[in-house]
Amino acid sequence: MSHQVPTPIMLTGDRPTGPLHLGHYIGSLKNRVAMQSLQGERYIMIADTQAFTDNMGNIDKVTQAIPELIADYIGVGIDPGKTTIFLQSAVPELVELTMLYMNVTTVSRLERNPTVRDEIKHRQFERDIPAGFLCYPVAQAADITGLKATVVPVGGDQLPMIEIAVETVRRINRLAGKDVLPEPQAMLSSVQRLAGIDGKAKASKSLNNAIFLSDDEKTVSAKVMQMFTDPNHLKVTDPGQVEGNIVFEYLDAFHTDKEEVEALKAHYRAGGLGDVKIKRLLISTLNDLIQPIKEKRDQAFASKGMLFDMLRDGSAKARAAVGQTLNEVKDGLGLFRL
Ligand code: ATP
Ligand code: MG
């Protein structure tokens, strides 16, 4: 008997909490663009509902970030003809799925999520954690499964969320006695977590330590110049350390000529290669990548009306798909439907 491999369905997204940065690009956006040349369906969700879980005092910030995000998508090469871009809050069926899924996980399971624990620490919630924030991984399980996604291109910080989504799928399918939902899989890139320009473990919008895809040449240059290198590399002739050196971490991630980077590392380790030289190389490498993206995204941003029309169409399409999944889940569980 021939076994048919289902065509992949991709779902991923971003919180509208600021413009996209190099961490998003290397961790997820590049894979999303690559998925466009494969068979299957693709969805990108602007997670405004999720952004509210820690931004109820910053509604304007979230609202303003929405068109910025769409422009960034267009800038990196997301084609709305191939990828459906939608707004989370425009698909209320996701909330209903979330409420159902809340009952197949536990508070202690959510409290164990290492990414959420880190985020709670960074946001200094202490014991005042918004209930919605603790539960956002459940909502994420609803987003992923609502579109029956099988492939989720994400950075490494999202692995605990995918785990919760997989557990949710298994519980729902077990309760239904059949495979109502497919199990999703994370699609990771070679750089799972790009460091911040301040040397912190993760470049993030919320930590304000990122190089944005909308930064102009001067800003990119200033940010690279601020980067942390080897604090003991005081004179050019001193041997330098490559490990933990953010400039080399970025060169590894973004410079296309790997041999050149390896030769530079050897030179730096031996001594005789100055920080300014490697920083200049990084500046030109990053500007070669970012400036064409910025040009395209600025052009897209100038026609906001068109961006919102596209978001409306995408949201209608996603809503129809999630509505169908919601009914299948309800029927599978034997819920009463009027
Ligand atoms: P926030 O600080 O508001 O959470 P963020 O910068 O973490 O913002 P998200 O919208 O939470 O961005 O993440 C969107 C996607 O980008 C996720 O798949 C996430 O894993 C990935 N991502 C974010 N930051 C990085 C990074 N520094 N390196 C690799 N991937 C990243
Ligand atoms: Mg995040």
Side-chain angles (χ1 to χ4, degrees):
M1 202 173 72
S2 77
H3 196 77
Q4 251 197 329
V5 181
T7 51
I9 301 178
M10 179 195 95
L11 177 281
T12 188
D14 307 279
R15 293 153 39 94
T17 48
L20 295 178
H21 55 66
L22 286 174
H24 300 123
Y25 181 79
I26 201 77
S28 174
L29 292 165
K30 246 178 116 172
N31 275 336
R32 302 181 202 179
V33 174
M35 289 288 294
Q36 291 187 144
S37 46
L38 303 180
Q39 283 261 312
E41 282 178 64
R42 291 154 294 266
Y43 294 91
I44 295 179
M45 185 185 79
I46 298 184
D48 58 341
T49 310
Q50 187 185 123
F52 294 138
T53 64
D54 59 333
N55 282 286
M56 276 310 270
N58 274 315
I59 305 278
D60 283 354
K61 177 179 96 175
V62 173
T63 305
Q64 280 161 18
I66 293 170
E68 301 271 357
L69 265 188
I70 313 173
D72 284 340
Y73 294 150
I74 308 286
V76 297
I78 297 293
D79 174 354
K82 293 183 178 155
T83 302
T84 303
I85 302 173
F86 73 98
L87 187 66
Q88 189 179 22
S89 64
V91 184
E93 288 78 5
L94 290 173
V95 182
E96 218 177 325
L97 262 187
T98 304
M99 290 309 284
L100 285 174
Y101 292 173
M102 293 263 207
N103 306 316
V104 296
T105 192
T106 63
V107 173
S108 73
R109 177 70 185 90
L110 295 172
E111 283 173 342
R112 277 203 310 275
N113 184 312
T115 299
V116 173
R117 287 171 80 107
D118 267 3
E119 290 174 339
I120 286 170
K121 220 189 276 163
H122 280 134
R123 285 161 179 73
Q124 297 175 322
F125 284 145
E126 307 286 331
R127 288 195 48 77
D128 296 324
I129 306 162
F133 191 82
L134 186 67
C135 296
Y136 88 72
V138 182
Q140 239 174 283
D143 307 330
I144 294 169
T145 60
L147 288 149
K148 296 200 172 162
T150 50
V151 180
V152 191
V154 281
D157 63 327
Q158 293 301 308
L159 286 175
M161 317 303 172
I162 309 285
E163 225 175 86
I164 289 179
V166 168
E167 286 169 18
T168 304
V169 166
R170 291 185 182 158
R171 298 231 167 91
I172 295 291
N173 288 346
R174 199 168 52 215
L175 287 168
K178 61 179 176 194
D179 286 351
V180 181
L181 302 169
E183 283 187 24
Q185 232 182 358
M187 181 189 221
L188 294 168
S189 84
S190 55
V191 182
Q192 292 190 23
R193 190 169 71 166
L194 186 74
I197 55 171
D198 55 357
K200 289 224 175 80
K202 181 176 176 285
S204 152
K205 299 178 222 120
S206 302
L207 301 176
N208 198 16
N209 61 355
I211 297 179
F212 295 104
L213 301 176
S214 45
D215 279 343
D216 61 20
E217 282 188 62
K218 274 197 178 145
T219 311
V220 171
S221 168
K223 286 183 177 176
V224 171
M225 281 304 177
Q226 276 171 36
M227 273 184 181
F228 174 86
T229 54
D230 170 5
N232 299 317
H233 187 237
L234 299 174
K235 285 193 287 200
V236 173
T237 47
D238 288 343
Q241 196 170 327
V242 165
E243 289 67 33
N245 187 321
I246 304 301
V247 178
F248 278 108
E249 192 177 316
Y250 273 62
L251 281 173
D252 273 334
F254 298 103
H255 197 59
T256 42
D257 187 343
K258 302 294 163 214
E259 271 176 36
E260 191 187 344
V261 176
E262 287 313 312
L264 286 169
K265 283 182 185 170
H267 191 177
Y268 194 81
R269 283 194 182 105
L273 179 60
D275 283 350
V276 172
K277 257 214 172 121
I278 53 167
K279 284 186 169 177
R280 287 228 175 93
L281 174 66
L282 182 59
I283 290 169
S284 70
T285 303
L286 294 183
N287 273 325
D288 286 352
L289 171 71
I290 292 175
Q291 296 317 313
I293 294 176
K294 176 179 166 53
E295 200 175 311
K296 222 171 145 191
R297 65 90 62 201
D298 286 353
Q299 220 175 351
F301 192 72
S303 0
K304 264 197 215 166
M306 235 162 67
L307 298 184
F308 287 134
D309 284 346
M310 194 190 75
L311 191 62
R312 205 169 294 115
D313 289 350
S315 302
K317 185 175 167 197
R319 192 171 182 191
V322 177
Q324 190 173 333
T325 307
L326 177 64
N327 285 339
E328 287 170 20
V329 169
K330 284 181 171 174
D331 290 345
L333 296 175
L335 298 192
F336 178 72
R337 283 217 280 139
L338 270 183

